[in-house]
Amino acid sequence: MSWLGIALIVIGLFFLVVGSIGMLRLPDVFSRAHALSVTDSLGALFVLLGLAVYEGFNTNFLRIIVVLGLIYLLNPVIAHATVRAAYRSGLRPGKGDDQ
Amino acid sequence: MRILTAVILFALWLVLSATYDPAHVIVGAVVSALVAWLNPALPHMRRLSWFAALAYQPWLFGRILKSGLHVSRLILDPKLPISPELVRHKTKFTRDGELVALGNSITLTPGTITVEVAPGELVVHAIDEESRKDLLDGSFEAKIAGVFAATEGER
């Protein structure tokens, strides 16, 4: 069981690294938000799932599942609030941050 | 309905506190009841199709995984082949619950992110052509309509 947990955590770390690379490579706030959604939707998911499996079935397992549920509800709200703020303050995609 | 809210809150309390001596459990029960009593009941909740809502989760996860891998490939590609664009996405949804479910699902899926929400129309930022196509095929709407089907006619 612990190997499955470790494997899931490594997969999650891969997505966290990819998301961070995307954060550096992508040109503006809108496309960077996509890198962020890779980090949160897949990176955090696999890392937390791996931790849950590693932990085995006890109250910590349940807590991790609750955290996962909250991330899936709240993360899109935060991403949306960020890009909406960028949009309303006049930023448009494809021009870079220093248009 | 408020009893259900209280029960859910209490279950959350039990999971998070994980201390089961009488003092903690009683405080949890009182606080859950108080919060459920003070807050207005959530509209629509009792008429949701819970089965469809449950079935929606693995489907959504499949979409997230597929587009997550796609966006990862874009990011790691040395040429960075993105073509970001804002899309006006018409939808038949006008009520809050449906719009929240749709907007959240779109944002949760890597490659598309909801920028503005209004009844009947979303402004969505898509990172490339494939993400745009995924959005346009309307499968999000079809699935979410199933979840809210029972609330139809309550406008």
Side-chain angles (χ1 to χ4, degrees):
Chain A
M1 229 26 194
S2 72
W3 281 105
L4 179 62
I6 292 169
L8 286 171
I9 292 174
V10 169
I11 294 173
L13 287 176
F14 167 76
F15 284 115
L16 290 179
V17 170
V18 167
S20 311
I21 295 173
M23 199 59 101
L24 294 171
R25 291 195 71 198
L26 292 168
D28 62 359
V29 62
F30 297 99
S31 29
R32 280 181 184 155
H34 296 300
L36 190 74
S37 67
V38 173
T39 333
D40 286 333
S41 300
L42 291 174
L45 170 85
F46 279 111
V47 169
L48 287 174
L49 220 55
L51 282 177
V53 170
Y54 194 84
E55 192 65 39
F57 192 84
N58 56 29
T59 46
N60 284 342
F61 175 87
L62 284 176
R63 283 179 185 174
I64 292 170
I65 299 303
V66 169
V67 168
L68 261 180
L70 287 177
I71 286 181
Y72 266 69
L73 280 176
L74 296 179
N75 160 50
V77 177
I78 297 164
H80 166 64
T82 309
V83 293
R84 189 174 70 160
Y87 184 73
R88 289 197 174 169
S89 48
L91 283 177
R92 291 296 178 269
K95 291 179 185 160
D97 272 341
D98 47 347
Q99 49 183 300
Chain B
M1 203 57 224
R2 289 186 177 182
I3 293 171
L4 180 59
T5 311
V7 169
I8 293 172
L9 287 173
F10 187 52
L12 190 64
W13 170 282
L14 289 179
V15 168
L16 290 179
S17 84
T19 34
Y20 302 112
D21 55 284
H24 280 92
V25 173
I26 289 169
V27 169
V30 170
V31 171
S32 314
L34 205 65
V35 169
W37 178 65
L38 281 175
N39 286 286
L42 292 173
H44 308 314
M45 215 165 116
R46 118 201 59 178
R47 314 270 306 264
L48 284 184
S49 164
W50 290 100
F51 179 75
L54 214 62
Y56 180 61
Q57 307 308 320
W59 179 84
L60 180 62
F61 178 68
R63 291 292 292 252
I64 290 173
L65 197 62
K66 179 173 154 282
S67 53
L69 288 170
H70 175 65
V71 172
S72 301
R73 200 160 49 237
L74 289 182
I75 289 173
L76 294 178
D77 192 310
K79 290 197 296 288
L80 203 65
I82 58 168
S83 54
E85 200 179 304
L86 287 173
V87 192
R88 288 194 179 280
H89 182 62
K90 296 263 182 248
T91 169
K92 60 181 161 59
F93 295 154
T94 52
R95 281 169 301 156
D96 288 350
E98 297 165 332
L99 287 170
V100 167
L102 180 62
N104 252 15
S105 303
I106 288 174
T107 307
L108 209 45
T109 311
T112 49
I113 189 162
T114 314
V115 180
E116 285 280 4
V117 189
E121 191 182 73
L122 271 67
V123 177
V124 177
H125 183 268
I127 199 167
D128 76 336
E129 195 55 50
E130 191 172 323
S131 309
R132 264 198 294 284
K133 271 194 229 125
D134 275 0
L135 177 69
L136 287 175
D137 72 3
S139 45
F140 278 118
E141 264 101 337
K143 294 272 176 180
I144 293 169
V147 175
F148 287 88
T151 61
E152 212 61 50
E154 206 190 76
R155 283 166 203 275

